[in-house]
Amino acid sequence: AQSVSQHNHHVILSEAASLELGCNYSYGGTVNLFWYVQYPGQHLQLLLKYFSGDPLVKGIKGFEAEFIKSKFSFNLRKPSVQWSDTAEYFCAVNPSGNDYKLSFGAGTTVTVRA
Amino acid sequence: DTEVTQTPKHLVMGMTNKKSLKCEQHMGHRAMYWYKQKAKKPPELMFVYSYEKLSINESVPSRFSPECPNSSLLNLHLHALQPEDSALYLCASSQDPTSEQTDTQYFGPGTRLTVL
């Protein structure tokens, strides 16, 4: 079955550490890719997105993600995290031509310790 | 402005009650969505409206009834819910469902629903 996989269920790290969250998908063909973040008690916010062009995309709050087509991956990175980055992170994929349907990964809980 | 608003923020209802959730956006978006999200889980799509017409119903039980009165408003009518329907209900919107390029979906803050 087509799916979106986030490999890390829970990541715990200290402030200033680097963060990388994995996301892989199994859809063939063209896809559109998103990372959303959900801070505690807050709504889903778009961190960044990739539709086409430069596979390295930069988002808000110092996050970036790299689309590697050959690996069906769209990993999220941040060089130096802050306590305020504690949140739930969701990768989402929309296969081109599938109109509205966003398929979400299971999510990764990131806890940053001060 | 990428704001989607939802009311109420919290709702507690009994299994025999009838209530409604409301979603509003003034970004001129023509697609609107209802999602259900359980704690620590990803959102699950329930319904999609495109140009005020129901486009997708993800086999949602009939105790959930969506309505799109105009291009800015989306309601979710609730009746005879079960305790397992307790969840965060998210509304989202996107710009143009007829565009060749995928739209970005923007989410509201959600309504936290508890069914007793």
Side-chain angles (χ1 to χ4, degrees):
Chain A
Q2 296 175 329
S3 67
V4 181
S5 299
Q6 291 182 240
H7 315 296
N8 310 100
H9 180 63
H10 193 179
V11 172
I12 303 172
L13 59 168
S14 300
E15 278 193 311
S18 64
L19 173 69
E20 180 160 0
L21 302 182
C23 174
N24 286 88
Y25 60 92
S26 61
Y27 299 96
T30 304
V31 292
N32 302 290
L33 302 156
F34 306 82
W35 276 98
Y36 284 89
V37 61
Q38 194 168 28
Y39 298 103
Q42 295 191 28
H43 62 284
L44 276 167
Q45 299 174 40
L46 181 69
L47 264 182
L48 47 78
K49 61 186 178 184
Y50 173 79
F51 286 177
S52 63
D54 188 345
L56 184 62
V57 292
K58 294 192 184 298
I60 60 171
K61 308 190 181 199
F63 285 90
E64 64 178 29
E66 185 176 13
F67 171 51
I68 303 179
K69 189 174 181 179
S70 61
K71 294 185 178 180
F72 297 88
S73 70
F74 189 55
N75 292 352
L76 181 71
R77 298 193 290 252
K78 185 170 183 176
S80 177
V81 294
Q82 300 172 316
W83 176 82
S84 57
D85 293 320
T86 295
E88 190 82 14
Y89 292 80
F90 293 99
C91 178
V93 177
N94 177 277
S96 189
N98 201 351
D99 295 337
Y100 316 103
K101 195 156 186 177
L102 267 184
S103 293
F104 284 88
T108 298
T109 302
V110 173
T111 302
V112 180
R113 291 180 171 160
Chain B
D1 182 12
T2 55
E3 188 176 20
V4 177
T5 59
Q6 291 186 243
T7 54
K9 288 186 179 179
H10 301 275
L11 179 63
V12 179
M13 60 186 291
M15 289 190 285
T16 58
N17 292 156
K18 285 185 180 181
K19 296 286 184 183
S20 296
L21 310 184
K22 181 180 173 181
C23 172
E24 196 165 0
Q25 57 88 14
H26 294 288
M27 297 178 278
H29 288 180
R30 302 314 299 270
M32 296 184 77
Y33 311 74
W34 280 116
Y35 287 85
K36 175 182 178 180
Q37 186 181 22
K38 290 280 200 178
K40 298 291 187 182
K41 298 292 185 185
E44 300 171 17
L45 183 65
M46 298 173 72
F47 301 104
V48 181
Y49 272 81
S50 172
Y51 289 89
E52 296 98 70
K53 292 185 180 176
L54 184 63
S55 229
I56 295 176
N57 177 340
E58 290 286 301
S59 303
V60 179
S62 60
R63 58 186 184 268
F64 295 91
S65 174
E67 179 198 15
C68 191
N70 61 55
S71 60
S72 301
L73 282 174
L74 184 67
N75 298 320
L76 186 63
H77 303 297
L78 315 172
H79 175 54
L81 294 194
Q82 303 296 312
E84 58 265 28
D85 296 321
S86 298
L88 182 67
Y89 287 84
L90 296 168
C91 175
S93 70
S94 65
Q95 187 169 9
D96 182 0
T98 63
S99 170
E100 289 184 359
Q101 190 174 60
T102 298
D103 282 328
T104 301
Q105 293 184 27
Y106 295 95
F107 287 81
T111 293
R112 178 77 58 189
L113 175 67
T114 303
V115 182
L116 300 176

